[in-house]
Amino acid sequence: MKKCNYHTHTYRCMHACGSDEDYVISAIKGGYQVLGFSDHAPWNYESDFVAHMRMPLVQFHEYAGSIRKLKEKYRGQIEILLGLECEYYPRYLPWLRQFLIEEQVDYIILGNHYYESDEIANQYYGNRCKEDLYLQRYVEGAIAAMETGLYAYMAHPDLFMRGRKVFDDQAREASRQICEAAKRLHIPLEYNLEGAAYNAACQIEEYPHHEFWKIAAEIGNEVVIGVDAHDPASLEREDYDRQARAYLKGLGLSILEEVSLPDYRLLR
Ligand SMILES: [Zn+2]
Ligand SMILES: [Zn+2]
């Protein structure tokens, strides 16, 4: 079995700690053979908006350079990939496509955090999905994103439960639609360990939510375990990983270790 993690942040997003190399060292200690960096994507905003949870676009080359340098330095010990966690912003999709090709990004994962753009205030799905309209937008955006073929997998697909709180009929229907689309499009869904740690620390159940994963098991989705590391130490702890594996296997879900990455050169 090849141990892989495709969901890793860096200090550039302003809510993660440690140096890039610290994540690599921790990943090696944690037994990983593949470490994908997927820091929160910068966007080429039309407005002068400055985001506080992602690097600005001007910092991207420094990020890419640092990750590529580590890829060389640790060749033979661990495979390092350059990725990004990207939202689905339809108006910036043509730009994103070009950017992925030009910058030779290895992969992106879908982090469906905001509706349309975070330039607009109060669009965080983690709050707004308590409203049926936003839950519907979350689902539609997720499916449209998966249909682009750009995203290697969908991170924390049950993020909407952070706002929803109660797993009601609409949440059930939303989950079903996301899982069915992912299955149809052969896109794995991520069981998020950062969320599992947050649930445990706060004694709540937001995401991952067991009702969502029951539906994923019924539909037969492929699951990827994502550390969503914002601290190098997360790559060294084995408890959440072990619990997640036992839990998902118990549901009858198949855990995908290595994710097949999209080839953006084909978009040229
Ligand atoms: Zn983050
Ligand atoms: Zn995320």
Side-chain angles (χ1 to χ4, degrees), residues 7 9 40 85 111 113 155-156 159 192 207 228:
H7 199 163
H9 293 278
H40 293 284
E85 180 181 15
H113 303 116
H156 44 61
L159 172 104
N192 189 283
Y207 71 81
D228 196 359

Side-chain angles (χ1 to χ4, degrees), residues 19 99 116 122-123 235 244:
S19 71
F99 182 79
E116 288 203 320
N122 195 22
Q123 299 291 3
L235 293 161

